[in-house]
Amino acid sequence: MTKNDHDGLTYAAIAFVLWGLLPIYWKALEVVPSLELLCNRIVWSMFFVGALIFYKVRWAEVKNALRDGKGKLLLTISSCLIGTNWFIYIWAVNHGHVVDTSMGYYMTPLMNGLLGFIFMKERLNRVQGLAIALAASGVLYSIFDYGRIPYIALTLATSFAFYGLVRKIMKVESLPGLFIETAVLFPLAAGYLIWLAASGDLSMTKVGVTENMLLLGSGAATSLPLIFFAHGARKLRLITLGMMQYIAPTLALLLGVFVYGEPFGESRLITFVFIWTGIAIYVGDGLRNNINLRTKLKI
């Protein structure tokens, strides 16, 4: 293993572990209403990322992204998608649905493949199609067994997959892109917090020092995993990165079941088995294709 590979694995592992443990952070702030928590996350993320861009002298990238009319429209769309994803995630974590968030992020790579097929004309072979069909079967089983759609998992998977699709079309680096996205949402988020302060309902005036520090740190909690991920992604092959991304939902699942005591009975296990099987097939196919490609290149 080269130093580049070692560094890439380290950065990526840190990113996915931080994402996997993020429910602990939001659980510590469950006294704060989800919408208010989202607004704090947006406001302090913008300030934190803005400070990093200032330190790294990367304002030119922000200006370039804003010069293109199509780029501005896409960034507005991506802002709405990531805002929706963040809100559903925070609400789910603080209302006892950590396991559902795990299911959503297990499904996301398969949703990415489906969107790539639909919108980017990327080919799906039979094995990949089977993997997506198995995940869909898990969702259908959940609907049949519970009598309801697993809307939390589906909303998280769909919003994040569409967010990834839009960001792929834009080709804007993660840090400048995140700054613009939070800046787009900033007026609404800051306005809501100001309105709460004026009406005497702002949580910052009611909670303790620890909660206030966590609220202020929500920007760093949001941005640091993304920064580590960006560093890791530059040094690793996509297939390696793709396999490592399952660290986060696995940690979230373990937290939901063993730390927060969420139910995980036979029915939910069957749903996850469908999804896990689909993931195993999907990843296995990616590994096989990668090995075949490397063999051809050597020849």
Side-chain angles (χ1 to χ4, degrees), residues 255-282:
L255 284 173
V257 175
F258 295 108
V259 177
Y260 301 121
E262 294 183 15
F264 194 78
E266 180 181 342
S267 298
R268 180 160 282 188
L269 176 61
I270 292 172
T271 297
F272 268 88
V273 166
F274 272 111
I275 295 170
W276 286 333
T277 304
I279 290 168
I281 292 172
Y282 197 83

Side-chain angles (χ1 to χ4, degrees), residues 51-124:
L52 286 177
I53 290 175
F54 178 80
Y55 174 75
K56 295 189 173 188
V57 195
R58 296 181 64 179
W59 289 110
E61 296 176 57
V62 176
K63 292 177 182 178
N64 288 337
L66 293 174
R67 285 196 185 109
D68 179 28
K70 180 183 176 182
K72 285 189 283 190
L73 174 62
L74 290 172
L75 279 164
T76 302
I77 294 172
S78 68
S79 301
C80 295
L81 288 168
I82 199 62
T84 300
N85 184 271
W86 285 356
F87 176 72
I88 296 298
Y89 181 77
I90 290 170
W91 183 91
V93 167
N94 286 347
H95 286 80
H97 297 285
V98 175
V99 172
D100 287 319
T101 69
S102 171
M103 184 191 299
Y105 288 118
Y106 272 125
M107 291 167 56
T108 298
L110 301 176
M111 186 69 74
N112 286 336
L114 182 60
L115 294 185
F117 172 73
I118 295 171
F119 294 102
M120 304 298 289
K121 308 303 180 185
E122 296 176 355
R123 291 185 178 182
L124 283 176

Side-chain angles (χ1 to χ4, degrees), residues 39-280:
C39 291
N40 273 280
R41 186 178 189 181
I42 291 167
V43 168
W44 302 118
S45 291
M46 193 197 77
F47 285 126
F48 183 80
V49 176
L52 286 177
I53 290 175
F54 178 80
Y55 174 75
K56 295 189 173 188
V57 195
R58 296 181 64 179
W59 289 110
E61 296 176 57
V62 176
K63 292 177 182 178
N64 288 337
L66 293 174
R67 285 196 185 109
D68 179 28
K70 180 183 176 182
K72 285 189 283 190
L73 174 62
L74 290 172
L75 279 164
T76 302
I77 294 172
S78 68
S79 301
C80 295
L81 288 168
I82 199 62
T84 300
N85 184 271
W86 285 356
F87 176 72
I88 296 298
Y89 181 77
I90 290 170
W91 183 91
V93 167
N94 286 347
H95 286 80
H97 297 285
V98 175
V99 172
D100 287 319
T101 69
S102 171
M103 184 191 299
Y105 288 118
Y106 272 125
M107 291 167 56
T108 298
L110 301 176
M111 186 69 74
N112 286 336
L114 182 60
L115 294 185
F117 172 73
I118 295 171
F119 294 102
M120 304 298 289
K121 308 303 180 185
E122 296 176 355
R123 291 185 178 182
L124 283 176
N125 60 37
R126 291 181 180 179
V127 176
Q128 292 168 334
L130 174 62
I132 292 173
L134 282 168
S137 298
V139 173
L140 289 174
Y141 177 82
S142 178
I143 295 171
F144 174 78
D145 187 64
Y146 285 99
R148 61 178 176 83
I149 297 172
Y151 62 91
I152 293 173
L154 285 175
T155 303
L156 287 174
T158 303
S159 60
F160 202 71
F162 270 105
Y163 173 74
L165 177 66
V166 173
R167 289 300 299 268
K168 182 175 181 178
I169 296 171
M170 285 189 304
K171 296 180 180 178
V172 178
E173 288 293 325
S174 57
L175 206 61
L178 182 60
F179 175 77
I180 297 171
E181 288 161 353
T182 51
V184 168
L185 298 172
F186 179 83
L188 288 173
Y192 182 68
L193 293 177
I194 291 170
W195 179 77
L196 286 177
S199 61
D201 294 322
L202 187 69
S203 293
M204 273 191 164
T205 62
K206 299 178 179 180
V207 298
V209 175
T210 300
E211 287 81 5
N212 274 313
M213 293 299 292
L214 289 173
L215 284 172
L216 292 173
S218 60
T222 297
S223 307
L224 286 176
L226 188 66
I227 294 167
F228 282 116
F229 173 78
H231 282 298
R234 292 190 187 98
K235 299 174 183 291
L236 292 176
R237 290 179 296 132
L238 285 177
I239 188 66
T240 304
L241 200 65
M243 288 188 291
M244 292 185 71
Q245 70 183 314
Y246 296 109
I247 293 173
T250 300
L251 287 174
L253 177 62
L254 293 174
L255 284 173
V257 175
F258 295 108
V259 177
Y260 301 121
E262 294 183 15
F264 194 78
E266 180 181 342
S267 298
R268 180 160 282 188
L269 176 61
I270 292 172
T271 297
F272 268 88
V273 166
F274 272 111
I275 295 170
W276 286 333
T277 304
I279 290 168

